[in-house]
């Protein structure tokens, strides 16, 4: 009988995986490997050394609060789709106009001003006033605790998110206003995910006000504004795992970001943020994975072309591989044509500690593509066997790379017509060395043993090599309390015992 087992993990240090083992009399088991949710381990942002915020005067003209100060300086500048480690904002005070009839005086904005600021947006909704108002809410929300926590609570209780959504629709064509609102929405909602009370309230309001729809529409309206794209994609990447996955906006967002990734310069932060958002959406559900996988072949080819170009850095290439690692876990049968670009990229990238995450994702993608037997010859013809064997030899220090590589060879070894090719490309020695290099990894031991079990059918030479290293199998059997691994070792011993020489 087939033995099925699935494992799902959301740990930030362990890749989420699912696989199925099939008895040796069947198709020798295939294993599916899925990319992780590491991107969602977000820490709060340091805002040390931030200067005071000159903002409002309290002069009231009728019922309107007029924002007179100008807030100057650098906009939010964040690393590519990663948690912001440090935020510094330079603010230059504009001098009060002493010749003005009002003789208004500036002062630093505080929590007490939040209700006035939001009222100002409602009754005096000029673009300049609105932009400065939301810039100030952003700064207040990201103040060090406890001020920042109280500021976020005050904004939420005064319908700040609702005001932000209305502002997006009202000022959709104004890029400066949209950018200020995106920053403010980011600060109020996902700036500090450990602020549980405010986070819960913010997520409820984001869902009720359909903020995601407004943000997506603003990204469509400003497709060439890289700062808006970067900020919007970063916001959605962080928000999407916390919201219901079946929101109607989510699937349309997959197509939007896929098309944006195709058209953007791969060297920009906006491109990296767009890929991060696309990955987070695909990780939400199989429906989103299929939505992306079913995009036109030309789109996938354009994205994968970045893997073999000099236009992007290693981190961006790694993110592309993680995206296809994730999607191929359910849609490998439709993505076989991307294998060549992934394999070609493995030829030219340096194989060292810095690139280990990339090779893990690349081998993980090849593993999932090998779930479909129709892809096996495609992978072999593209040079997969050589690159996988090289990865095992070069990354003997990385259990993650070894696990993905051995699983790829094990999946490919289920095709009897490919087993001789695996042997001729050094697969047997690579598998044995992987077991020696990672004795404490049950997955490396199990997948290497599974591949060797299949390859023993090919020749006496393979069975002799396996017999010479029986101590590895016994060690794995007794070291790891893993029923699947123990069944594989038992099957190996049964097969070898039927050979008189062995």
């Amino acid at each position: 009988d087939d033995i099925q087992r699935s494992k799902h993990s959301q740990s930030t240090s362990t890749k989420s995986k699912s696989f199925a083992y099939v008895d040796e009399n069947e198709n020798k088991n295939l294993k599916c490997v899925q990319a992780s949710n590491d991107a969602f381990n977000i820490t709060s942002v340091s805002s040390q050394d931030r200067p005071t915020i000159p903002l409002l005067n309290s002069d009231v003209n009728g019922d309107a609060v007029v924002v007179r100060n100008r807030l100057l300086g650098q906009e939010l500048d964040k690393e590519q789709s990663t948690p912001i480690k440090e935020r510094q904002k330079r603010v230059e005070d504009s001098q009060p106009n002493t010749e003005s009839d009002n003789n208004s005086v500036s002062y630093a904005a505080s929590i007490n001003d939040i209700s006035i600021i939001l009222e100002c947006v409602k009754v005096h909704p000029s673009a300049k006033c609105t932009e400065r108002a939301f810039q100030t809410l952003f700064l207040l929300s990201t103040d060090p605790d406890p001020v920042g926590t109280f500021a976020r609570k005050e904004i939420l209780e005064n319908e700040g998110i609702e005001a932000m959504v209305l502002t997006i629709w009202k000022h959709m064509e104004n890029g400066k206003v949209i950018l200020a609102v995106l920053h403010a929405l980011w600060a109020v909602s996902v700036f500090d995910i450990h602020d549980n009370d405010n986070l819960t309230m913010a997520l409820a309001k984001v869902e009720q006000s359909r903020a995601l729809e407004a943000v997506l529409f603003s990204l469509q309206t400003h497709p060439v504004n890289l700062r808006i794209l970067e900020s919007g994609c970063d916001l959605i990447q962080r928000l999407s795992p916390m919201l219901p996955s079946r929101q109607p906006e989510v699937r349309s967002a997959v197509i939007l970001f896929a098309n944006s990734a195709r058209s953007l310069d791969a060297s920009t932060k906006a491109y990296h943020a767009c890929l991060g958002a696309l990955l987070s959406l695909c990780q939400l559900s199989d429906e989103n994975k299929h939505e992306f996988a079913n995009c036109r072949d030309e789109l996938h080819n354009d994205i994968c072309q970045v893997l073999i170009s000099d236009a992007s850095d290693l981190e961006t290439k790694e993110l592309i591989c993680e995206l296809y690692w994730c999607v191929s876990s359910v849609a490998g049968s439709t993505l076989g044509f991307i294998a060549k670009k992934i394999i070609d990229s493995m030829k030219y990238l340096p194989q060292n500690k810095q690139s280990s995450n990339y090779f893990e994702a690349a081998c993980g993608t090849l593993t999932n593509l090998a779930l479909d037997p129709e892809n096996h010859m495609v992978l072999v013809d593209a040079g997969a066997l050589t690159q996988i064997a090289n990865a095992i030899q070069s990354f003997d220090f990385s259990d993650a790379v070894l696990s993905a590589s051995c699983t790829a060879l094990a999946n490919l070894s289920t095709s009897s017509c490919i087993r001789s090719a695996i042997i001729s490309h050094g697969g047997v020695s690579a598998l044995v060395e992987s077991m020696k290099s990672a004795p404490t990894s049950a997955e490396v031991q199990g997948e290497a043993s599974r591949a060797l079990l299949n390859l023993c059918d090919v020749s006496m030479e393979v069975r002799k090599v396996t017999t010479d290293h029986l101590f590895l199998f016994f060690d794995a059997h007794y070291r790891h309390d893993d029923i699947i691994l123990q069944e594989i070792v038992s099957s190996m011993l049964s097969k070898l015992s039927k050979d008189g020489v062995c």
Side-chain angles (χ1 to χ4, degrees), residues 134-135 137-138 141 164 179-189:
F134 285 114
Q135 285 176 341
L137 294 181
F138 163 75
S141 298
M164 294 174 197
L179 190 61
V181 174
L182 292 178
H183 290 172
L185 183 56
W186 175 89
V188 174
S189 59

Side-chain angles (χ1 to χ4, degrees), residues 68 82 145 177 197 259 337 416 455 478:
R68 299 187 185 280
T82 57
D145 287 337
V177 173
D197 293 339
N259 287 321
F337 62 91
S416 57
L455 296 177
Y478 290 114

Side-chain angles (χ1 to χ4, degrees), residues 10-304:
Q10 298 303 323
S11 166
T12 58
S13 61
T14 304
K15 299 296 182 182
S16 173
K17 305 185 179 185
S18 61
F19 69 90
Y21 170 76
V22 184
D23 188 77
E24 63 173 312
N25 294 323
E26 298 297 330
N27 197 21
K28 293 299 190 303
N29 51 319
L30 296 175
K31 180 173 178 181
C32 167
V33 185
Q34 218 169 306
S36 75
N37 263 351
D38 290 352
F40 305 138
N41 183 28
I42 303 165
T43 58
S44 57
V45 182
S46 170
S47 53
Q48 297 177 351
D49 303 324
R50 188 176 64 73
T52 56
I53 311 161
L55 173 74
L56 291 176
N57 73 53
S58 57
D59 188 33
V60 177
N61 181 8
D63 292 328
V65 177
V66 183
V67 178
R68 299 187 185 280
N69 291 51
R70 288 183 299 164
L71 199 61
L72 306 177
Q74 182 180 347
E75 294 286 355
L76 176 65
D77 182 21
K78 47 188 178 296
E79 295 297 328
Q80 299 180 358
S81 259
T82 57
I84 303 172
K85 304 298 182 185
E86 184 179 353
R87 182 182 64 88
Q88 291 181 331
K89 187 122 175 133
R90 295 192 302 271
V91 181
E92 180 182 313
D93 259 328
S94 62
Q95 298 299 321
N97 186 358
T98 56
E99 299 179 359
S100 171
D101 293 337
N102 296 334
N103 289 323
S104 58
V105 179
S106 302
Y107 65 89
S110 69
I111 295 175
N112 295 331
D113 297 311
I114 288 175
S115 61
I116 300 175
I117 295 170
L118 289 170
E119 184 66 21
C120 176
V121 172
K122 295 177 183 178
V123 301
H124 189 73
S126 69
K128 179 63 70 174
C129 167
T130 303
E131 178 190 0
R132 299 310 185 202
F134 285 114
Q135 285 176 341
T136 304
L137 294 181
F138 163 75
L139 292 172
L140 286 171
S141 298
T142 53
D143 255 332
D145 287 337
V147 176
T149 299
F150 287 126
R152 292 190 292 275
K153 181 178 180 181
E154 186 73 10
I155 293 171
L156 291 168
E157 290 180 346
N158 282 274
E159 299 185 346
I161 286 184
E162 292 85 347
M164 294 174 197
V165 174
L166 289 174
T167 298
I168 291 177
W169 293 114
K170 183 176 293 185
H171 294 275
M172 186 63 72
E173 303 295 332
N174 191 313
K176 290 184 178 180
V177 173
I178 295 298
L179 190 61
V181 174
L182 292 178
H183 290 172
L185 183 56
W186 175 89
V188 174
S189 59
V190 296
F191 170 73
D192 185 359
I193 64 170
H194 302 295
D195 181 6
N196 294 326
D197 293 339
N198 284 336
L199 178 62
T200 300
M201 190 189 315
L203 293 177
K205 289 179 174 290
V206 164
E207 185 177 357
Q208 292 166 5
S209 63
R210 301 193 69 174
L212 190 59
E213 180 181 359
V215 172
L216 290 172
F217 202 92
S218 70
L219 299 183
Q220 287 180 296
T221 306
H222 300 273
V224 296
N225 189 319
L226 298 185
R227 299 180 72 190
I228 288 178
L229 285 174
E230 181 189 352
S231 299
C233 289
D234 184 81
L235 173 63
I236 290 176
Q237 176 184 349
R238 300 170 193 277
L239 273 178
S240 56
M242 307 177 194
L243 296 173
S245 61
R246 296 191 178 275
Q247 283 189 293
E249 300 91 342
V250 171
R251 293 183 68 180
S252 61
V254 172
I255 302 301
L256 171 63
F257 292 139
N259 287 321
S260 296
R262 184 186 185 188
S263 60
L264 288 171
D265 183 346
S267 64
T268 62
K269 290 183 178 181
Y271 181 82
H272 194 281
C274 185
L275 287 177
L278 186 56
L279 174 58
S280 69
L281 292 173
C282 288
Q283 287 173 327
L284 288 180
S285 68
D286 289 350
E287 290 81 1
N288 292 346
K289 294 181 182 69
H290 284 294
E291 192 76 27
F292 175 66
N294 291 332
C295 290
R296 298 186 307 275
D297 290 358
E298 294 82 1
L299 183 147
H300 293 294
N301 280 323
D302 287 345
I303 293 176
C304 290

Side-chain angles (χ1 to χ4, degrees), residues 308-479:
I308 55 177
S309 73
D310 298 327
S312 61
D313 56 16
L314 179 61
E315 187 179 0
T316 300
K317 290 181 170 69
E318 179 184 325
L319 192 54
I320 293 174
C321 259
E322 286 182 351
L323 172 61
Y324 283 99
W325 185 10
C326 169
V327 174
S328 62
S329 64
V330 299
S333 60
T334 62
L335 293 172
F337 62 91
I338 69 170
K340 187 172 186 346
K341 286 187 171 63
I342 293 176
I343 294 167
D344 286 346
S345 70
M346 296 171 69
K347 297 177 183 177
Y348 304 116
L349 281 176
Q351 298 183 357
N352 51 39
K353 188 174 182 179
Q354 288 71 33
S355 63
S356 62
N357 288 339
Y358 177 83
F359 277 86
E360 178 192 3
C363 290
T365 305
L366 299 181
T367 292
N368 290 346
L369 294 178
L371 288 169
D372 185 354
E374 292 186 3
N375 287 334
H376 286 186
M377 286 308 303
V378 174
L379 292 168
V380 172
D381 291 341
L385 298 180
T386 298
Q387 298 311 316
I388 293 172
N390 289 343
I392 291 175
Q393 294 170 0
S394 300
F395 294 95
D396 55 357
F397 56 86
S398 172
D399 288 2
V401 176
L402 293 178
S403 176
S405 301
C406 290
T407 307
L409 289 179
N411 282 356
L412 287 169
S413 70
T414 59
S415 291
S416 57
C417 60
I418 291 179
R419 292 171 189 169
S420 295
I422 295 175
I423 296 170
S424 64
H425 283 81
V428 174
S429 59
L431 290 165
V432 170
E433 289 304 314
S434 70
M435 295 183 71
K436 293 179 180 178
S437 299
T440 60
S441 172
E443 292 201 358
V444 172
Q445 299 298 311
E447 293 307 308
S449 299
R450 182 163 68 94
L452 289 169
L453 174 62
N454 291 336
L455 296 177
C456 278
D457 290 336
V458 177
S459 70
M460 177 62 199
E461 185 63 29
V462 177
R463 292 193 293 274
K464 187 175 185 309
V465 170
T466 305
T467 304
D468 291 341
H469 293 87
L470 275 181
F471 67 93
L472 293 174
F473 299 98
F474 284 118
D475 180 68
H477 184 280
Y478 290 114
R479 184 190 293 267

